[in-house]
Amino acid sequence: MGTRKFLTNRLLARKQMVVDIIHPARANISKDELREKLAKMYKVDKEVVFCFGFRTAFGGGKSTGFALIYDNLESAKKFEPKYRLVRHGLMEIKKASRKQRKERKNRSKKLRGTKKAKAAVAKK
Amino acid sequence: MSPSKTSATANAAAEELQRDQAAFHKHLQELSTMVKEIEAKLKPTIKKLETKEIDTSKGLSFLEVKYHILLEYITNLSFIMYRKLSGESIQDHPAIHSLIEERTILEKMKPVEQKLKYQIDKLVRAAVVGQQEGEAQMTAGGADPLAFKPNPKNLVLDNAGNEDNEEGENEDNEDGEAKTGLYRAPKMAPVHFEEDSSAVAKRLKYQARLQARAAKSRVMKDLVNEFDDRPEEMSLTNDGVHFGMGMDDKQREREQYEEENFTRTMLSKKELNRLRKGALPKFENEFENLNDFAQIAPLQDDLESSEQRRRNVLARRNERKQAAMARDSDDDDEDVGSRKRSRGGDDDGIFNGLMSDPKKRRAGGKKGPKTAFDRSKRNIARNRK
């Protein structure tokens, strides 16, 4: 496993890099395992390592992706997009069920302008 | 409050009062001068009105109403100011009610005035113009300012001054075209605009394009790799894989973009299929590009043609010199400027020295080989060619 294009991003309190993994026998390496390896390499906690965007090269054996290592968990919670936090279990996005969302959308199609906002407030 | 503070405030108040008084004094002076000016300007008009020189019967009643209401408003306002100055209260005075009424009327009149603005302007212009040039002339000419619709006669009058110039120009144009007899097509469709249409610029552009194309060819790349000191770069993905038709470069560009911006691009379904199914193994294509010389061939041609042109100039000069020499000598069959003709040179064989070719140009002087000696000389010269 090698890292390329290493960059310390002080503005977002993190280090970002491109990760290349060679896995000759296996299909793919799970993100979890990768986080452990990176945490060991950079001597940080596993929970501040986020990796994403892994693509396996044609023919197999090699994958490339991105990894971010935050300085602390607070800055991670502040700067990371919500879906990645959900992946790690640090956050939960609560949504109404799909059916209910669609019903609400269809109800608001009958209204126009500020009445939509009023209806939304009334529902809550 | 402390005595110093009260005195300070009193001083401040006194200063303000003084400033106000000075300003008031100035305003009063301005007012008096302006009133005198207005009076001076209005006096002659008032006299004219009294002696009925100006006819006010054709005025707009709307504007009359406006003046009357304005006057009332001003009088009421001044009355209220007078009451204030003399210290009497103005609360619930009927003057205030009438002030409010008049104000509302004036504000409602404003938009109506805006709509009438065009007509009012026309009337004013008509009045002014009528005074200057006399009514009869203008109405006859068709430029009646009270008419609001467009009038083609106005156009004719405008061009009266320019007609002579235009005729002169038309004549010149016609003469010019009749002389050359050229028909110039009207330019209607949009065409690509070339900034430099000179031959030199075109040639340079063509050469630049050829060079760019040649740089992309496989031959050039191999040469560069051979003689360059830089380390060889291998891409980490698509190692044994190759896409044709310039997809390789696109793929490389995409990789570069993704790594730099730390994102992944979304590929359309077409692109995804092409990536997965359209990948060819790299080694098969080694033989496809063996005929890649086609890409650099035009470069060679272009180079040759430019050298040829240079050679042509010298060659033509030499030919002219030879022609001059040949005119003096016996052999006038050292053909002048026959470089072009000698390419299709089978005519020589046909006549074979029996007859001089009637098509060939005589350089002047001797008409042709009259004696056998001349003919044989010609044969020898031809065979040597």
Side-chain angles (χ1 to χ4, degrees):
Chain A
M1 176 173 78
T3 60
R4 279 187 297 137
K5 299 216 175 184
F6 186 88
L7 176 63
T8 311
N9 195 337
R10 284 270 124 245
L11 295 167
L12 297 172
R14 70 185 186 199
K15 305 184 183 88
Q16 50 197 52
M17 66 205 80
V18 176
V19 180
D20 305 316
I21 316 169
I22 306 181
H23 43 85
R26 304 160 61 168
N28 206 334
I29 291 198
S30 68
K31 286 202 277 270
D32 223 26
E33 223 184 295
L34 187 61
R35 281 170 74 210
E36 282 179 20
K37 293 226 169 100
L38 276 172
K40 226 191 314 171
M41 234 167 83
Y42 284 87
K43 300 183 190 80
V44 276
D45 256 341
K46 182 180 156 187
E47 59 190 18
V48 291
V49 181
F50 292 80
C51 34
F52 61 98
F54 278 90
R55 296 270 170 86
T56 314
F58 192 88
K62 213 184 284 194
S63 338
T64 315
F66 308 110
L68 310 167
I69 303 180
Y70 280 87
D71 291 345
N72 45 36
L73 197 55
E74 283 79 54
S75 53
K77 285 193 185 162
K78 211 168 29 152
F79 293 124
E80 274 291 282
K82 306 275 185 299
Y83 72 92
R84 267 185 236 153
L85 295 173
V86 171
R87 277 187 197 172
H88 287 203
L90 296 167
M91 202 169 106
E92 268 185 39
I93 299 181
K94 239 177 276 184
K95 289 195 276 205
S97 76
R98 196 178 151 94
K99 185 81 186 150
Q100 280 178 5
R101 271 185 279 149
K102 289 190 189 276
E103 278 179 7
R104 178 154 170 238
K105 180 240 330 168
N106 286 333
R107 258 177 276 133
S108 73
K109 279 202 278 195
K110 295 182 199 159
L111 306 166
R112 184 88 172 81
T114 50
K115 298 194 190 86
K116 281 198 212 191
K118 282 185 201 159
V121 170
K123 277 290 162 184
K124 283 200 179 165
Chain B
M1 286 220 294
S2 53
S4 57
K5 263 195 187 170
T6 45
S7 59
T9 48
N11 281 342
E15 275 179 32
E16 262 198 64
L17 262 177
Q18 274 185 358
R19 261 182 270 138
D20 280 344
Q21 275 177 2
F24 188 59
H25 197 61
K26 208 175 40 171
H27 287 317
L28 272 181
Q29 277 181 338
E30 279 180 30
L31 189 66
S32 55
T33 44
M34 279 202 258
V35 164
K36 277 182 204 154
E37 274 182 44
I38 294 173
E39 212 182 342
K41 280 187 187 169
L42 277 181
K43 262 196 179 160
T45 355
I46 295 174
K47 250 190 238 170
K48 279 193 196 169
L49 276 173
E50 283 171 4
T51 57
K52 304 232 172 160
E53 270 185 45
I54 309 177
D55 195 8
T56 52
S57 60
K58 286 187 187 168
L60 277 178
S61 51
F62 177 75
L63 291 175
E64 258 192 77
V65 171
K66 188 172 180 190
Y67 292 145
H68 283 303
I69 294 192
L70 260 178
L71 271 173
E72 269 197 53
Y73 186 76
I74 290 171
T75 23
N76 276 331
L77 202 65
S78 42
F79 178 67
I80 285 179
M81 282 205 289
Y82 163 72
R83 273 186 78 94
K84 269 188 156 182
L85 280 172
S86 38
E88 295 171 34
S89 84
I90 52 171
Q91 201 158 13
D92 293 334
H93 200 269
I96 296 208
H97 294 300
S98 45
L99 263 182
I100 296 172
E101 255 187 67
E102 278 140 23
R103 195 60 194 275
T104 42
I105 294 176
L106 281 171
E107 280 180 8
K108 289 203 176 174
M109 283 175 79
K110 255 196 199 169
V112 182
E113 212 189 305
Q114 277 277 347
K115 288 185 188 169
L116 284 178
K117 193 173 167 351
Y118 176 67
Q119 299 201 3
I120 295 171
D121 282 344
K122 271 267 180 183
L123 282 174
V124 167
R125 225 189 303 154
V128 166
V129 155
Q131 276 178 5
Q132 284 175 1
E133 296 193 52
E135 287 180 30
Q137 195 187 27
M138 287 322 290
T139 47
D144 187 12
L146 285 174
F148 300 134
K149 63 180 182 181
N151 202 332
K153 285 187 198 165
N154 281 337
L155 264 176
V156 173
L157 279 178
D158 281 344
N159 281 347
N162 293 340
E163 253 175 67
D164 294 324
N165 292 349
E166 280 178 0
E167 275 179 359
E169 278 175 35
N170 281 339
E171 279 176 353
D172 281 339
N173 280 351
E174 281 172 348
D175 280 344
E177 288 190 348
K179 275 180 205 167
T180 59
L182 258 182
Y183 165 69
R184 298 205 176 274
K187 298 184 178 176
M188 303 224 173
V191 174
H192 177 66
F193 171 67
E194 276 185 31
E195 275 187 58
D196 301 309
S197 59
S198 65
V200 180
K202 270 192 201 159
R203 214 183 328 132
L204 285 174
K205 261 192 245 176
Y206 178 62
Q207 272 182 1
R209 226 181 299 150
L210 282 180
Q211 277 174 11
R213 218 183 300 157
K216 276 194 258 173
S217 77
R218 183 70 179 277
V219 177
M220 284 294 159
K221 278 193 201 148
D222 284 343
L223 279 175
V224 164
N225 280 337
E226 212 182 297
F227 295 112
D228 199 15
D229 290 334
R230 281 181 291 181
E232 214 177 281
E233 272 186 32
M234 305 285 294
S235 96
L236 287 164
T237 56
N238 293 341
D239 224 5
V241 174
H242 159 76
F243 308 98
M245 308 216 307
M247 290 287 293
D248 264 345
D249 290 329
K250 256 195 248 176
Q251 189 68 14
R252 222 171 296 150
E253 222 188 286
R254 205 181 297 139
E255 271 177 39
Q256 220 182 5
Y257 171 82
E258 284 181 355
E259 291 194 351
E260 223 161 299
N261 297 32
F262 243 69
T263 47
R264 285 287 181 205
T265 55
M266 290 293 130
L267 300 168
S268 65
K269 226 189 262 183
K270 229 196 280 183
E271 293 274 330
L272 269 177
N273 282 336
R274 215 177 286 175
L275 278 184
R276 282 195 212 127
K277 297 174 191 166
L280 314 156
K282 215 170 199 181
F283 296 109
E284 207 176 291
N285 283 330
E286 290 285 338
F287 295 103
E288 252 186 40
N289 287 329
L290 277 185
N291 63 347
D292 211 350
F293 301 106
Q295 274 184 342
I296 47 175
L299 269 187
Q300 183 64 10
D301 279 348
D302 200 47
L303 202 67
E304 267 188 36
S305 67
S306 61
E307 282 186 17
Q308 187 89 322
R309 223 174 288 117
R310 227 179 299 143
R311 267 188 257 133
N312 271 350
V313 172
L314 297 171
R316 256 181 259 143
R317 229 184 292 154
N318 288 338
E319 279 172 8
R320 264 182 241 131
K321 274 195 215 155
Q322 279 185 17
M325 285 186 348
R327 246 176 262 145
D328 301 336
S329 76
D330 281 342
D331 253 32
D332 63 342
D333 282 315
E334 303 274 339
D335 286 328
V336 177
S338 74
R339 214 161 163 272
K340 292 177 198 164
R341 268 183 272 123
S342 67
R343 281 193 205 144
D346 273 339
D347 288 341
D348 299 340
I350 295 172
F351 291 106
N352 212 8
L354 293 173
M355 234 172 43
S356 48
D357 194 350
K359 288 185 222 160
K360 279 197 186 155
R361 209 194 317 150
R362 301 287 163 205
K366 292 235 167 137
K367 282 191 182 170
K370 293 268 167 93
T371 61
F373 179 59
D374 289 325
R375 268 181 253 136
S376 57
K377 253 208 292 184
R378 204 220 295 187
N379 278 340
I380 291 167
R382 279 216 194 99
N383 291 335
R384 217 181 287 150
K385 275 191 203 170

